[in-house]
Amino acid sequence: MANTVILGAQWGDESKGGTTDFLAEGADIVARYQGGDNAGHTIVIGEDKFVFHLLPSGVLHPNTVNVIGNGVVINLETLFGEISDLEACGVEVGDRLKISSRAHLILPYHRIMESWDDLGSGLKLGTTARGIGPTYSDKMNRHAGIRVADLLDFELFQKKLDFNLAAKGYALDQIGGEIDRQALLEQYYTYSEQLAPYVADTPELLNDALRTGKRILFEGAQGTMLDVDFGTYPYVTSSNTTVGAVCTGLGVGPQAIHRVLGVSKAYVTRVGSGPFPTEMPPDLDEEIRGIGEEYGATTQRPRRCGWLDLVALRYAAQVNGFTGLALTKFDVLDHLDELRVCVAYRRRGEEVATYPPSLRVLEECEAVYEILPGWKQSTVDVRHYENLPENAKRYIAFVADFLNVPIALISVGKERTQTIVCNEDLL
Ligand code: GDP
Ligand code: IMO
Ligand code: MG
C-alpha cells in the first residue's frame, strides 16, 4: 500500500483538504504533521461544506483514523469546536482521533503576543493572527513551550503557565492584553479532561500501522512557498511545510513515504503580504477571485490572484521531490481567451534561472511569460482526461513537461466528485 504525502506547492489554499478527502477513501490513516489552526481546509460533498483547521481531512470517512502529530500546534478551543460542529452534523470523531502528547499548545497569550511582535519589528507579515509564530517560538525556546503532556500533568501546567505570564507580563501589559489567570486555569482543567481520551503515542501507532501494511496519507498545511526555510522569508509561516516535516512532525522514517503529491492550483493565490511576481492586474485579479471564490477559509481575507508561476513550482518540485502533481481549480480558467504561465524571471535585464533566496532580489524580478491559448469551454462536467478540450490538455502537458513531474489528478470543481484521475499509480 502506498503512503502518500499531500502538500501545498504554492502559498497555501491549493485544495490540500479536498485532495486528501478524495484520496482518503482508500486510506487507513490520515495524519497532519505541522501548522495549526492557521490552516483552513475545505471539503465539499454535495450541498455540504466542511472547513477543517485542525482535524485531518480524512475525518469524514468513517473508517479512517486521524492523527494530529507532534509537529502541529494545537488551539484547544478550535479543536473542540471542530469536534462538536462535526458531531452536530452526525459525524462522530470518537476514538478515530489520536493526538500526540508531544504537540505544543497555543495559549490565549500567544495570539496577543503576535501583535506585540508586529509592533516591535514594524514588519507587517499579514499573519492569520492565530498565535502560530509565538507558539513555535516558545517551542524552540524550550523554557516557555507547553505540550499536551504538560496539560495532562496539571500541576506542571500551572507552573509553566505562571512562568509564561510572568515572562510575558510586560508585553501583555503594554498592548493591553489581559489574561485572567484563574479563568484560564479553570478552562484548561476542563480541556485537560476532554483531551485525555484522544492522547496517544502517535509514533508508535504510525509505525505499527506501517509494519502491518496500512495505508497512510500525510496531509500538509500551508504551502512550500510559506516554508520557514524555503519560502519567501520572512513572509512565511513558522513551520516547515515541506516534505521533511512529515518525518519530524510525526516520528516516522523517510521509508514511510512512497509518493509525494504536490498540490497546485492551475493559477496562483496568496493571502497576506510578500512578493508575488505573477500577480494579476487589478481587473483580472478581481475576476479570478470572483470565479474561484478566493477568500481565505480561515480569515475570509481576499486572496491575491496571479498566473501560474512555473519557476516557483519547479523549485517546489525540487525541494520536495514531487512524484506527481495535482492541478486543482482548473475550471476557474475555463473562460479565458489566453493564459499566461511564468517560465523565467528577469532582473535588471538578465534572466534569473532559479528561485532567488533574497527577498530584495525577488522584489526586483519580473515574470517572463509564455502565452498559451485558452480552451473557452466548461470543464466542470469532465471526469476523464481524454474528454478535456485540446487546449486544456496542451496547458496541462506544458506544465508537466516544464516541471518534469507527471500530472496525477485534476480538479474541475469544488465538489468531491469533480476530480479527474490522470494516473492512479501516482496517488
Ligand atoms: P487548502 O487550504 O489547500 O485545503 O485549500 P482551501 O480549502 O483553503 O481552498 C481551496 C478552495 O477552492 C476551497 O474553497 C474549495 O472548495 C475550492 N476548490 C477546490 N477545488 C476546486 C476546483 O477544482 N474548482 C473550484 N472552482 N473550486 C475548488
Ligand atoms: P492552508 O493550510 C494560505 C499565511 C498567512 C501569512 C503567513 C503567516 O489553508 O493552505 P501565520 O498565521 O501562519 O503566521 O501567517 O502565512 N498562511 C496561509 N495562507 N493558506 C494557509 O493555510 C495559510 N496559513 C498561513 O496568510 O501570509
Ligand atoms: Mg486553506
Side-chain angles (χ1 to χ4, degrees):
M1 287 290 230
N3 301 322
T4 304
V5 182
I6 298 152
L7 67 79
Q10 300 170 314
W11 281 272
D13 305 326
E14 301 92 345
S15 192
K16 299 172 291 293
T19 307
T20 304
D21 168 70
F22 181 75
L23 296 185
E25 178 68 43
D28 299 293
I29 298 180
V30 179
R32 275 270 312 263
Y33 50 89
Q34 46 72 229
D37 61 343
N38 48 348
H41 294 183
T42 315
I43 297 166
V44 178
I45 304 170
E47 300 293 304
D48 297 326
K49 176 175 157 178
F50 302 85
V51 181
F52 297 128
H53 303 286
L54 273 171
L55 289 176
S57 299
V59 77
L60 297 174
H61 294 269
N63 297 323
T64 55
V65 169
N66 292 268
V67 173
I68 297 181
N70 56 280
V72 175
V73 288
I74 304 177
N75 181 325
L76 292 173
E77 190 184 339
T78 308
L79 180 74
F80 294 124
E82 261 173 35
I83 293 173
S84 64
D85 285 353
L86 261 190
E87 286 176 353
C89 301
V91 181
E92 283 295 324
V93 176
D95 61 1
R96 295 193 299 119
L97 177 65
K98 306 289 178 192
I99 299 174
S100 168
S101 43
R102 296 179 175 91
H104 279 248
L105 296 178
I106 302 180
L107 280 112
Y109 52 76
H110 286 123
R111 287 186 174 214
I112 303 170
M113 290 302 289
E114 196 149 350
S115 45
W116 173 253
D117 290 342
D118 269 1
L119 274 177
S121 68
L123 254 186
K124 286 261 168 275
L125 297 179
T127 72
T128 59
R130 296 297 187 268
I132 303 295
T135 307
Y136 278 115
S137 301
D138 278 359
K139 169 178 175 173
M140 292 312 184
N141 159 286
R142 296 157 300 159
H143 297 286
I146 300 184
R147 310 209 288 184
V148 164
D150 302 332
L151 180 62
L152 300 192
D153 177 351
F154 205 70
E155 219 172 285
L156 180 61
F157 173 77
Q158 204 162 320
K159 250 193 193 158
K160 290 201 161 199
L161 177 70
D162 285 338
F163 169 80
N164 273 288
L165 292 181
K168 300 176 195 337
Y170 174 76
L172 293 174
D173 272 355
Q174 294 298 304
I175 42 183
E178 257 187 50
I179 300 283
D180 180 339
R181 176 180 176 276
Q182 198 48 39
L184 193 150
L185 278 174
E186 280 163 27
Q187 175 71 81
Y188 274 71
Y189 188 78
T190 309
Y191 284 157
S192 75
E193 294 194 318
Q194 274 177 283
L195 188 62
Y198 297 112
V199 179
D201 186 341
T202 47
E204 197 60 33
L205 181 148
L206 289 165
N207 282 287
D208 256 357
L210 289 171
R211 275 190 291 273
T212 51
K214 300 254 166 68
R215 182 174 195 210
I216 307 178
L217 299 179
F218 304 108
E219 180 187 10
Q222 291 78 54
T224 299
M225 305 312 284
L226 291 171
D227 182 284
V228 69
D229 285 292
F230 297 110
T232 44
Y233 192 90
Y235 297 101
V236 293
T237 190
S238 298
S239 64
N240 282 113
T241 59
T242 43
V243 70
V246 172
C247 296
T248 56
L250 288 169
V252 296
Q255 304 87 337
I257 300 169
H258 304 133
R259 287 163 197 168
V260 186
L261 182 65
V263 187
S264 166
K265 284 181 188 171
Y267 49 101
V268 186
T269 60
R270 176 162 203 179
V271 205
S273 322
F276 190 1
T278 65
E279 191 155 16
M280 288 168 168
D283 285 1
L284 193 58
D285 172 63
E286 208 174 308
E287 185 178 307
I288 296 294
R289 182 160 42 255
I291 298 170
E293 298 173 54
E294 295 294 0
Y295 295 88
T298 299
T299 59
Q300 279 71 52
R301 286 178 293 174
R303 297 175 182 149
R304 300 153 70 193
C305 300
W307 296 110
L308 190 63
D309 183 340
L310 290 181
V311 179
L313 208 48
R314 183 167 56 192
Y315 171 70
Q318 189 170 292
V319 166
N320 294 294
F322 288 159
T323 53
L325 195 74
L327 209 51
T328 62
K329 307 198 79 161
F330 203 74
D331 55 300
V332 176
L333 306 180
D334 281 351
H335 67 292
L336 295 172
D337 291 326
E338 55 178 35
L339 299 105
R340 291 173 173 236
V341 283
C342 169
V343 292
Y345 294 156
R346 188 175 295 124
R347 175 176 177 256
R348 299 181 182 171
E350 290 197 16
E351 205 155 285
V352 179
T354 54
Y355 205 83
S358 154
L359 200 68
R360 229 204 284 233
V361 172
L362 189 60
E363 273 164 353
E364 288 175 9
C365 282
E366 249 180 83
V368 177
Y369 291 110
E370 177 90 18
I371 297 177
L372 299 173
W375 45 94
K376 307 236 357 144
Q377 209 175 309
S378 171
T379 57
V380 296
D381 293 321
V382 178
R383 295 293 175 270
H384 299 283
Y385 179 81
E386 311 81 70
N387 299 338
L388 282 168
E390 281 314 308
N391 282 344
K393 288 187 199 160
R394 195 165 152 188
Y395 186 80
I396 295 162
F398 188 90
V399 173
D401 287 348
F402 188 95
L403 301 176
N404 199 22
V405 176
I407 307 292
L409 181 151
I410 295 164
S411 80
V412 290
K414 58 189 169 189
E415 214 278 332
R416 191 188 250 177
T417 55
Q418 289 179 294
T419 308
I420 301 172
V421 173
C422 302
N423 186 342
E424 192 126 17
D425 295 338
L426 300 171
L427 296 171

